[in-house]
Each structure stands twice: as structure tokens, then as C-alpha cells.
Amino acid sequence: MSRRNAAPLGWLALLLAAYLCAPLLSALPQIGTSDWRGMDVPTLGRALLVSVASASVATVLIGLGGIPLGYLLARSRSRALGVLGFVVQLPLALPPLASGVLLLFLFGPYSPVGLIAPGLTDSFTGIVLAQVFVAAPFLIVAARSGFGALDPGLEDVAATLGHGPWRCFISISLPLAWATIRAGLLLSWLRGFGEFGATVMVAYHPYSLPVYTYVAFGSQGLPAMMPLLVPTLAIAIAVALLASWRRRITPQHIDDNALTAASLLVPRPASFPPTSSSPASPASPASPASPASPAFDAQPGVDASATPSLRLRVRHQLGEFNLDIDWHARSRRLAILGASGSGKSMTLRLLAGLTEPPPQHSAGAAHTSFCSLIMGEESLSALGPAARELGYVPQDYGLFPHMTVAEQLAFPVGAQAALARDWLLHLGLSGLEARKPAALSLGQRQRVALARALVRPCRLILLDEPFSALDTPRRRQLRQTLRALQNELSATTILVTHDPDEAALLADEILVLDQGQVLQAGKTAALFSRPASLQVAALLGITNLGAGRKCAHARIAIGGGVELNVDPAAIEWVPDETVPLLWRIDPGAVRVMDSLDVAQQTAPGVYPACWCEPTLSAGVWLTTVSLGDMVLRSTQPPGDRSDRSERSNRENQGSTEGESGSERGGVSNGSPGDRCWVSIAPQAIDVWRAHGPRETQGPPAQLRRGAAVSAA
């Protein structure tokens, strides 16, 4: 905003500020003319003591009930609590005298309560009751605002670390909202300290400071006011300063330690006992895990036979969204893959016990919600998140803003100090123990969240897109870090991601979700080699794959009038054209040529195509052509513009078609839309049956036999 645009705002702000300061400034000349000798010091002292004591007692009572009430109003979406939140704020809108009248209806000498407990009015208790009524809304509003501004996911993370609701409230929510709550408590104290209207109606005696000021003004006039206002102003200024005080946070330099092979795997001290989640395995305590370990059975320190199976059955409805999963996984490294909005994070929260399915519908309802989770032979469905022995890393890492790195790692129930120190070294976090999350980089926060999930024995580690907020080099680096950690842990890890490369690197089994429905589930290699549908292939990022139908003994139609020659053994199991097929060609088997002679054009496996714009994949340019309705990519590098100019010059000089084909075949890249030829060996085309979402648990015997013949 420019200075010119902001000028009117500044003048309006200064106008109100001047009005608020003017009464205080106008009282300064009255200090010397006031009647200081006529001041009744003992009575003033008693009135001041009564106001301070009653406001303090009232604030304690307000805090005991107002903080929990503000928390419930912030967390609940109940309509009844919404109405309650409106009602408890009404004293803010009532004139103080009206508040006093309402209190007399409740506590007066002739009220039902007053008849049972006389003496509630015209007493110190009456002053406290009046102050609680008029001052409590200040704290309730502040607490509701403070708790409402907090991320509820922090409490969820605390629950997965073994803490119950009370400990989550005391250790997480209350400290984070305390600045706002403290301001509300001080405002409530000031409101109670200065309360006159309700107090004078309920308890005229003993004198509070406001009531005594009113009495002195009526009997002695304005000259007696300044001696009474001085202590009042002094107390109000002191409390206001305390309410506005904020501790300054000194910014710290962020220096993200690089994760090198030397800092990643630190040898364990000989005296450190191995645990189920320790960085080194009991079987091989000093064996570094290679990030490139291809198979989970061969990972060092991992007993494949001891890996518990995981069975998840979920049916959950949220508005119009239905989540329906039946997944039986037998590997230790799992991933849930899908686009945004497919239900991945919801599934992870159900696994953690953080989202409870709604109550079952009435009899006759078509949809029943439930969540069943079984690990090995033990059912975890009835256990809360604190009892499931899991580590949970949400997308934003869920670090507690008010805790240092050391406090984060000490917070989980059952956290082992020696194990925490070991993970600090293991993940390159040594020296950051005193930092809070605000002084950490994204990569450091991610590693702290991982370490916090691993400092206690756990059987299930849930990772909700932990790399989504990182830049590409850091993401690649931390993927390798997690891969190495998976090789050393005995816990089952479940990664939620929309990145197929991430799933392929970090999972041995993948569940593919879309719109809450399972598209395919199985071993990673099987999914990437033969996805069940075009939708699964798109989510996995697989290219050169399309749908087709058998049209001859060894040919399949792929659309656009194109029929591909395939190995007869690859489709001998297909009875007729009614069977939906999928086909795939490895980019390395696609050879693109500018032109061919007539004999070459009619050779088996040669098809006319058109050039497309080259595609950039992982920094490497690939040749792209259109074949019928399909776009194929080839690892053959596209030519540059100098190649195209040379080709054009040769054509203008009248070179023959055969000569140009032999010279330029597979060398240069034509302009988009230009004619070209594609050579694909029939044996390089893999064909299998397309499956629906409910047909992906395993290929039929004839498909497996066809695959074996094709591979041979």
C-alpha cells in the first residue's frame, strides 16, 4: 500500500488515539489542585484491597471454567454448543446495571438460591459473583479465538505419539494458545477490577474501589477524585502493559546440514541395546543399508518371514464422497497412490485411528460405515491412536511450534533418550537440539518429524506426502534417506503419495486409489509392468500404453485405423475381439525414421506416423510421434534444428528417397505434423487383459501363461 493511499487511514487512527489519550492528559494539571489531605487512606486501602482480591478470585474462577469452555466452543461443530457460545457472550451487550438486576433475580435475598444460601449479596461473595458474570465473556472470546487458530492436526500427532486427550490439551493446545488466553485473563481481571454497575446492585458493601469512588464523588466532589484515580490508573497501566508484553524471538541462522553417506549411517555405540525401531538391526548392527536395495527380501537386517501382513477394510462416507477399500498387503513397505481428492489422507487417518467412521445407518440403509485394521493376528480397530504403537508424519510434519528439537524427540510416550541421540546423529540433526521449528529449514523439519516417529518402538509408520513441500534436490535426497531407513526398520511403513516414482522407490506393494475406490493393488513391479487399466497407467505415469482389441491371429487394433503386429504367443489365450486388452511398448523398442523406401515401408512392424514435439523427461529429451490415436515416446534422441536444415538442403538438391532414408534414418527430428515411420518389433509389444476395479487381485492363469511365453 502506498503512502498516499494509507494517509487517510493514518489520520483516522490518530484522531481516535488523540481522543482516547485526551482525558488522561487533562487530568495531569489536576494533580496539584486536588485535595490530598482530605483523602481517607484507611477506607481507600480497604476498598483497593477488596477490588484487587475480588478481581483475582473472579479471574481464577473464570479461568477454571472459561478456558475449557473456549476450547469446546472452538473444537465442536454442535448446534447446541453454538447457541451456548452466543448466550455466554450476552453480558458483553448488557448494561452493567441490567446485569446486576439479573443477578439479583438469581442470588437476591428473596430468590430461591438466596433463601437456601443467604448472604450472597452485600458481601465479598456478591462482588465476586458480579465480576464473574460481567468479565467471563472476555476470556471465553479470547480462549475460543486462541484455540480456533490452532491446527487440530497437532493434537492428532500428539495422540499418535501415545498421549491421551488430557495430555494433548495440557502439553499442546494450552501452551500454543496461552498468549491469547493470557490476554483474555488480564482483560477479565481489569474488567472485574473496574466493575461498578453490577457490583453496586449486588453488593454495595463492602466498598470496592469503583463503589467507594462513586461515594466519595457524591460527598466530596471533584477535588477528591484525583487521589482515588492515581492507584486505579497505576494498576490499570501495569496490567495493560503485562497483557501487551510479548517475548521477542531472536532469529536464528538456518544452515541445513547435507545428508551425505558419512552423516547418514553413524555406527552405533557398542553399549546401546538394539530395539525394534533402532537404526541398526540386531542381525547386522554395523551394516549400512544400500539405498539401491532392489528387493525387500534382500534388505540387510530384515527378516522377511517375520513381516506381519496388513489387512485393511474400510467403508467410509463423508458427504457425497465414499471411501471403499479392501486391501490385504504382505510386505513391509507399502504405498497408497492416487490423485488429489482420491481419499489417500483419509485412509491414513483411519489407519491411525484419528478419524472414526460415523455411526451405522438405520436399518435398511444401503451404506454402512466401518473400519477394520488387522496387523498379523492382532486387530487394531478398537484401539485409539495412542494405543496403536505407530509413528505418524503428516504433510506439514506436525512439529509443535513451542518445543525445541530435543523436546520434540522426548515427547512421545516411551521415547528412549539414547535412541533419540542415535537418530539425531543418523539423520544429520546433531547440533540442532535447541532449535524450534521456526528456526529449521523444511528438510530439517522433515527429518525431525521422522526422528520423532522413530524414538519409540512402533509397528506402523504412516507418512502423508512428507516430501511434497520440498524442492527437487532435497526431495530426491530425503527419499534416499527414507529408503535407507526402511531397510533398517522392522516396522511397516505406509507412504501416501501422488508421485509414482516415489511409490516405486519406497514401496514393495502399492494401492492405487481414485475417488475413494481401489483401482488396483499388488506388488510394485507387477503394477508398473502391467497396470489393470488406462486410468491406473496414467496415475503411475506409464507411457506408450493403450487399449486395443484382437483383430487377427497376431494383430491388435489400437484405434485410428492402426493394427499392430504382435507375437502370436502373446495373444494366443485371447478367444476373440470381445476381450478388452492393454498393450505396452518400451520406449527403447520404438525406432523412428524420417523416410523409407517402398520395400521397407511394407516390412512387418513398420507403421506410418507423424512427428510431435519432443518430450522432456528427467532432463532428457525424448522423440515423440503420433501413431493412430496414440502418442509414442522413444528413447532415441531428437535431432536439433541444424539436422533439419541439412535434411531440407539435401531434399532441395534432389537426393533420392532411399538415400535420404539411409542417411537420416533415426537421426533428425522433423517438424510437428511431418510424416515419419516407426519400426516396432512384434516381440517388443506386451499384451494383457484389461481389468475392472474389482478384478485386480491377480491375473488369470491364461494371462500368466501368455506373459511367460512372451517373456521367453
Side-chain angles (χ1 to χ4, degrees), residues 252 404-406 431-436:
Q252 303 182 39
T404 64
V405 171
L432 306 179
E433 295 87 347
R435 289 193 185 184
K436 292 185 177 180

Side-chain angles (χ1 to χ4, degrees), residues 306-515:
T307 301
S309 63
L310 182 143
R311 181 67 185 266
L312 175 65
R313 299 182 63 225
V314 172
R315 188 171 295 168
H316 183 66
Q317 183 171 2
L318 184 63
E320 298 297 324
F321 182 82
N322 291 321
L323 182 65
D324 192 355
I325 296 176
D326 189 349
W327 186 24
H328 192 183
R330 297 173 176 84
S331 300
R332 191 177 51 84
R333 305 188 311 171
L334 310 173
I336 301 176
L337 177 72
S340 298
S342 60
K344 306 186 302 296
S345 295
M346 182 185 295
T347 302
L348 208 65
R349 291 180 59 83
L350 287 166
L351 280 164
L354 299 174
T355 299
E356 296 183 0
Q360 294 187 1
H361 294 231
S362 58
H367 189 91
T368 302
S369 294
F370 63 88
C371 177
S372 173
L373 173 62
I374 300 175
M375 286 199 68
E377 302 297 327
E378 182 180 0
S379 174
L380 307 183
S381 307
L383 300 178
R388 295 195 178 191
E389 299 179 12
L390 53 88
Y392 174 53
V393 181
Q395 292 186 34
D396 58 357
Y397 310 140
L399 298 183
F400 308 125
H402 62 299
M403 292 185 183
T404 64
V405 171
E407 292 169 340
Q408 306 268 359
L409 301 189
F411 183 73
V413 173
Q416 303 174 14
L419 189 57
R421 287 193 297 268
D422 203 49
W423 280 119
L424 284 172
L425 293 174
H426 204 68
L427 294 176
L429 297 171
S430 181
L432 306 179
E433 295 87 347
R435 289 193 185 184
K436 292 185 177 180
L440 299 174
S441 69
L442 284 176
Q444 290 169 338
R445 294 178 196 178
Q446 193 264 359
R447 284 178 274 154
V448 171
L450 277 176
R452 185 182 59 185
L454 300 173
V455 295
R456 64 174 187 147
C458 55
R459 50 185 163 185
L460 191 60
I461 300 174
L462 308 177
L463 307 170
D464 192 355
E465 300 200 42
F467 311 109
S468 58
L470 302 177
D471 55 83
T472 300
R474 176 63 57 187
R475 183 165 60 248
R476 186 182 302 113
Q477 187 179 59
L478 291 178
R479 283 175 183 171
Q480 295 294 340
T481 301
L482 180 57
R483 169 85 177 192
L485 296 181
Q486 287 177 316
N487 293 341
E488 302 165 4
L489 298 173
S490 61
T492 298
T493 60
I494 301 181
L495 172 73
V496 160
T497 182
H498 61 271
D499 188 335
D501 293 336
E502 201 166 272
L505 176 68
L506 299 173
D508 299 308
E509 289 190 48
I510 299 177
L511 174 74
V512 183
L513 275 182
D514 185 69
Q515 298 298 317

